[in-house]
Amino acid sequence: MSARDEILKRVRAGVGKDDFSARRALAEAYMAERKRGPQPTLGAELAVRFKSKAESLSSSVEVLPERAEAPAAVARYLTAGGFGLQAVITGDVAGLDWTGSGLTVAARPAVDADKVGISGCFCAVAETGTLMLLSGPETPATVSLLPETHIALVEVSRIVATMEDAFALLRAERGDLPRAINFISGPSRTGDIEQTIVLGAHGPCRVHLILTGTNP
Amino acid sequence: MSAAKHSQAMHFQARAGKEVRNAVLQRALQKAKPLFVGKRAKGIAALSEDKLEFEALRTACEDIRNRVLTDLDVWLAIFEERARASGAEVLWARDGDEICRHVVDVARQHGVTKATKSKSMLSEEARLNEALAAAGIRPVETDLGEYIVQLAGETPSHIIAPAVHKTIGDVEALFAKEHGRPVETRTSADIPAMAREAREVLRQHFLSAEMGISGANFLIAETGTAALVTNEGNGRMVTTLPKVHVVITGIEKIVPTLEDFATLMRLLPRSATGQSISNYVSLLTGTKQPGDSDGPEKTVFILVDNGRANLLGSAYQDMLRCIRCGACMNHCPVYFSLGGHAYGWVYPGPMGSVLTPLYTGIENALDLPHASTGCNQCGSVCPVRIPLPKLMHRLREEQVERGLRPWSESFGLKAWALVAGKPALYRWVMRRAARYLNWLADGSGSIRIFGLAPGWTAGRDLPVSSGKTFHELYAARKRA
């Protein structure tokens, strides 16, 4: 007997029910229902909540009225930190006038040598101050992963309350799941040496968010 | 059971005795405990800021896990179908040896010489690193704690903080040796530099490995997806860069929907580290899509039984709800007296005291269900409400039913039952015992060293009564 058959036989014996197709129909109905668990009540405006949560997770946040102002703000941030003005960028935000602000950006997947990665995001989650990024030809996952500095552009209109709302938006706009959904909440961290938290474990050491749209 | 051959759980008492005298370990544990407990308490308390209640979330999480377990055959079928439809391959493994065979086969098919690993407790159950090394494939652990433990040639002592038993000096010695540099004197101010050093070494492994191996915190049936929760970003690395990704998970890890996953995520990181969310939560579905520049060309799920299916429908089914947050060990007085290695197998703490006998054989882990003070701290913090002390009690009962207790214990209990069943005899024996103990104490009210059980008085005195039994005292008071 194959491992699959043997394991499933044991599982069926343990479950101890026979009406498989009826139970399968119930399972399908349950999935279609998309029932949510207890939902949080978020007091503040979503953008305010998102900003304060993101900051509490060690991201820095700059608020701008217009997305067109992002390149100048990014240039200021990079210059102030001494991080250099070269960046790898995802296609969804490559169209802004980066060169006009003195940046040299390349829209391609990131490599080890890239110091700065600039991305947009599919949406952001206010509850936890989290970015939701989807992998795709225009938005390689490496851009938010390999460089030491990750800068993400977030539109206030794309901030949703919860992870459940983010999934609902994804289903509405995209249907299927991409290969990778990455929820990112601040710079990578480790506490594995004597429980001391260090930022910059394997992913970015710093995450800077540019929040554009209305002023939170 | 094949898992039993790697278990040292039968040597629990000897190992425990050694660990309580290990001053370095004791210092590390004493430092970690208040951090673990404090962070979780803060994380759970913060739920109320959003008007969320821990008990209501717990019930929701418990229900989600129970829903899957009571129809696991159905959910496995749905997951398998949808994972395959998304382009992944699904393999099944009865035990650890079969996991190893699958992984080595996949590695050989793709010419793999090096595999980077994100933390997978199932790969510890299977002793996968040994099997890979024997097949000429280099396994590199990339979770910093796992990396430290791998360099030391040890196993993790905690499921969330694998190197919790290591001091900064231990880590420095291991890094110096592995990275080919002299040992330096390190203080906690150097920890960022040490993490940086590991980052640089491991980055090269991430870039060059042909295969990534990970576990999955959950499998989402609706979409055929693996959910991976990490803080370091190593989970993202091993599932983004190599051309092959192997996911090794237990068959019980399924949750029905993305919504259910979101519910569980409100308690998993909080229970583990007190975080409202972990830094990286990745949902991985299928393989690299047309036009994608990254992601594996081949994704393989290995769905593992290794003792799990036998718990379905048994008195221990509740244990399969476990989401491996580690809160039970973080709140266990026994764990913090001994550390994780004393438990002798993959899972330490209360979780291990239940899982090890169930997965490696009750007869191969006789002491573990007794490694409990019965305080129920574990049961009260468990995010999926597993009644851990009750399960340990059930295992103890099963030891008695199967005649696995030592003859002296069975004899003693039989003798006690005989005496306790005859009131006159009982009172006579108790009178003799009370007089004897009082004589031993020489009227001082306590015994320094009790010859019949010297272990009890090794670190304390045994208080004794004045030489009168309870019955005698009660009768005297009634007369007065």
Side-chain angles (χ1 to χ4, degrees), chain A residues 8-49:
Chain A
L8 286 175
K9 191 177 153 197
R10 275 203 286 266
V11 169
R12 276 192 294 273
V15 166
K17 304 175 187 171
D18 46 15
D19 48 345
F20 185 90
S21 47
R23 291 187 293 123
R24 164 105 200 205
L26 284 176
E28 299 281 358
Y30 174 78
M31 289 190 288
E33 204 186 327
R34 288 173 186 158
K35 197 175 139 231
R36 295 184 180 192
Q39 295 293 290
T41 310
L42 305 184
E45 248 181 81
L46 292 186
V48 175
R49 164 73 177 224

Side-chain angles (χ1 to χ4, degrees), chain B residues 216-414:
Chain B
N217 294 82
F218 299 105
L219 300 174
I220 301 168
E222 176 190 8
T223 48
T225 298
L228 208 55
V229 179
T230 76
N231 279 315
E232 296 185 1
N234 60 321
R236 287 192 65 193
M237 292 280 183
V238 308
T239 61
T240 303
L241 301 174
K243 62 183 179 181
V244 184
H245 175 207
V246 177
V247 190
I248 309 172
T249 60
I251 50 173
E252 84 283 18
K253 284 275 178 146
I254 296 184
V255 299
T257 62
L258 292 167
E259 280 73 12
D260 290 335
F261 169 71
T263 299
L264 286 156
M265 280 306 294
R266 289 201 174 85
L267 285 191
L268 173 60
R270 281 185 175 92
S271 300
T273 56
Q275 290 169 282
S276 52
I277 189 163
S278 304
N279 287 67
Y280 298 108
V281 176
S282 300
L283 300 179
L284 305 162
T285 311
T287 54
K288 187 173 180 172
Q289 296 300 299
D292 277 0
S293 58
D294 46 41
E297 289 150 26
K298 174 98 184 163
T299 301
V300 181
F301 285 95
I302 303 179
L303 304 182
V304 185
D305 181 354
N306 210 27
R308 287 155 175 79
N310 288 338
L311 305 195
L312 286 168
S314 80
Y316 306 106
Q317 178 169 311
D318 288 344
M319 194 61 215
L320 291 175
R321 286 203 297 269
C322 179
I323 58 173
R324 304 288 192 267
C325 68
C328 58
M329 62 196 73
N330 287 348
H331 292 76
C332 179
V334 179
Y335 177 88
F336 275 98
S337 301
L338 306 177
H341 286 152
Y343 291 81
W345 198 55
V346 179
Y347 304 100
M351 159 199 304
S353 293
V354 176
L355 286 175
T356 305
L358 292 175
Y359 289 175
T360 70
I362 287 176
E363 65 284 5
N364 295 318
L366 290 175
D367 287 331
L368 292 191
H370 299 265
S372 161
T373 65
C375 70
N376 194 36
Q377 275 283 310
C378 52
S380 69
V381 296
C382 177
V384 287
R385 224 180 249 132
I386 298 170
L388 287 150
K390 201 180 109 196
L391 298 180
M392 284 185 255
H393 277 129
R394 180 69 201 110
L395 283 162
R396 296 184 198 181
E397 285 167 6
E398 201 167 329
Q399 289 181 4
V400 174
E401 286 158 17
R402 288 170 51 181
L404 292 168
R405 298 308 304 161
W407 73 267
S408 55
E409 184 182 296
S410 331
F411 174 79
L413 286 172
K414 276 189 192 120

Side-chain angles (χ1 to χ4, degrees), chain A residues 1-8 10-21 23-28 30-32 34-43 49 53 56-57 108-115 127-130 132-133 135-150 161-164 167-168 170-171 177-207, chain B residues 31-32 35-36 39 49-52 56-57 60 64 67 69-78 80-82 84 92-94 98 142-146 148 160-164 166-168 171 175 191-192 194-196 198-199 202-204 206-207 221-223 225 231-234 236-237 239-241 251 256-263 265-266 275-296 303 305 309-310 312-313:
Chain A
M1 203 189 288
S2 73
R4 179 182 185 277
D5 293 346
E6 200 177 316
I7 293 168
L8 286 175
R10 275 203 286 266
V11 169
R12 276 192 294 273
V15 166
K17 304 175 187 171
D18 46 15
D19 48 345
F20 185 90
S21 47
R23 291 187 293 123
R24 164 105 200 205
L26 284 176
E28 299 281 358
Y30 174 78
M31 289 190 288
R34 288 173 186 158
K35 197 175 139 231
R36 295 184 180 192
Q39 295 293 290
T41 310
L42 305 184
R49 164 73 177 224
K53 274 285 162 184
S56 77
L57 298 172
R108 55 165 170 78
V111 295
D112 188 36
D114 289 316
K115 297 287 175 220
E127 181 185 0
T128 49
T130 300
M132 183 191 197
L133 271 62
S135 71
E138 281 275 279
T139 52
T142 45
V143 173
S144 60
L145 181 61
L146 294 178
E148 281 184 15
T149 304
H150 174 209
T162 61
M163 197 182 263
E164 287 91 333
F167 291 137
L170 178 72
R171 286 184 182 116
L177 266 56
R179 182 198 68 81
I181 298 172
N182 286 301
F183 290 100
I184 300 175
S185 309
S188 72
R189 66 181 68 206
T190 180
D192 275 342
I193 304 177
E194 294 200 339
Q195 275 62 58
T196 302
I197 299 296
V198 177
L199 297 184
H202 292 305
C205 306
R206 60 193 77 82
V207 173
Chain B
K31 190 174 171 194
L35 292 172
F36 286 153
K39 283 178 177 176
E49 290 166 17
D50 296 338
K51 299 191 172 59
L52 286 168
L57 274 170
I64 291 166
R67 175 179 298 279
L69 296 174
T70 50
D71 288 298
L72 188 60
D73 52 341
V74 169
W75 293 108
L76 279 166
I78 294 172
E80 185 186 34
E81 257 174 51
R82 300 195 181 187
R84 287 202 169 127
W92 300 72
R94 278 166 281 224
E98 203 157 14
T142 63
D143 172 273
L144 183 57
E146 291 271 354
I148 292 166
I160 303 297
V164 64
K166 291 287 184 208
T167 61
I168 187 169
V171 177
F175 280 12
I191 290 175
M194 295 170 74
R196 178 87 207 175
R199 172 192 170 101
L202 288 167
R203 176 62 69 97
Q204 296 315 309
F206 286 128
L207 295 166
E222 176 190 8
T223 48
T225 298
N231 279 315
E232 296 185 1
N234 60 321
R236 287 192 65 193
M237 292 280 183
T239 61
T240 303
L241 301 174
I251 50 173
T257 62
L258 292 167
E259 280 73 12
D260 290 335
F261 169 71
T263 299
M265 280 306 294
R266 289 201 174 85
Q275 290 169 282
S276 52
I277 189 163
S278 304
N279 287 67
Y280 298 108
V281 176
S282 300
L283 300 179
L284 305 162
T285 311
T287 54
K288 187 173 180 172
Q289 296 300 299
D292 277 0
S293 58
D294 46 41
L303 304 182
D305 181 354
N310 288 338
L312 286 168

Side-chain angles (χ1 to χ4, degrees), chain B residues 2-18:
Chain B
S2 80
K5 70 186 176 205
H6 301 308
S7 172
Q8 296 292 313
M10 276 309 272
H11 308 295
F12 177 74
Q13 286 198 22
R15 293 165 74 101
K18 210 174 109 217

